[in-house]
């Protein structure tokens, strides 16, 4: 009886793999490696560092916590440089939505500048 590729894949173990594929299988399991081949088979993929995985979440937290006065504090809390915090909150600063306005104080928008 001739076995199909599907049958062979179902019984595949880590010892059946070529050396360059074993490390991936050790990290994600043989089933995970097979799933990766379904999506990315034959192509090169980039595996990001953990800090890249959480970047969008961290940036969202910085944006949510920004109050117009705490760039340095946020930079320290999230282990990023102040310019990164500034770049994340720049639109808030430009739009003025994060600035605390004194009641009765005019803005450039009020005078048409």
């Amino acid at each position: 009886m001739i076995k199909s590729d599907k049958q062979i894949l179902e019984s595949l173990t880590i010892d059946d793999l070529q050396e360059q594929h074993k490390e991936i299988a050790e990290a994600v399991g043989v089933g995970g490696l097979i799933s990766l081949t379904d999506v990315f088979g034959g192509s090169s993929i980039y595996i990001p560092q953990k800090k890249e995985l959480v970047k969008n979440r961290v940036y969202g937290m910085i944006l949510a916590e920004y109050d117009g006065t705490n760039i340095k504090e946020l930079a320290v809390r999230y282990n990023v440089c102040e310019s990164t915090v500034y770049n994340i909150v720049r639109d808030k600063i430009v739009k003025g939505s994060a600035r605390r306005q004194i009641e009765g104080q005019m803005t450039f928008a009020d005078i048409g500048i």
Side-chain angles (χ1 to χ4, degrees):
M1 174 193 261
I2 299 175
K3 289 196 171 193
S4 70
D5 283 350
K6 182 178 179 185
Q7 290 172 318
I8 295 171
L9 283 171
E10 288 173 353
S11 64
L12 201 63
T13 69
I14 200 162
D15 293 327
D16 297 321
L17 300 174
Q18 296 176 43
E19 284 303 314
Q20 69 263 30
H21 304 136
K22 286 183 179 181
E23 190 174 356
I24 298 169
E26 288 170 357
V28 300
V30 174
L33 177 59
I34 293 168
S35 294
L36 286 171
T37 64
D38 291 338
V39 178
F40 301 105
S43 65
S44 296
I45 61 171
Y46 166 75
I47 307 296
Q49 294 180 342
K50 289 178 184 174
K51 67 181 181 180
E52 287 295 315
L53 294 178
V54 300
K55 184 183 278 188
N56 283 345
R57 178 98 185 246
V58 168
Y59 286 9
M61 293 165 68
I62 289 170
L63 189 59
E65 293 177 32
Y66 176 68
D67 66 9
T69 65
N70 60 344
I71 286 180
K72 286 183 181 190
E73 176 187 324
L74 292 170
V76 170
R77 181 178 304 143
Y78 291 103
N79 196 30
V80 297
C81 61
E82 289 179 34
S83 63
T84 298
V85 175
Y86 174 78
N87 288 331
I88 293 167
V89 302
R90 180 180 16 213
D91 286 342
K92 262 188 166 180
I93 292 171
V94 170
K95 292 177 184 173
S97 62
R99 292 186 180 163
R100 295 183 182 148
Q101 188 172 350
I102 299 170
E103 191 162 331
Q105 179 183 21
M106 293 181 69
T107 66
F108 289 117
D110 295 328
I111 55 176
I113 294 179

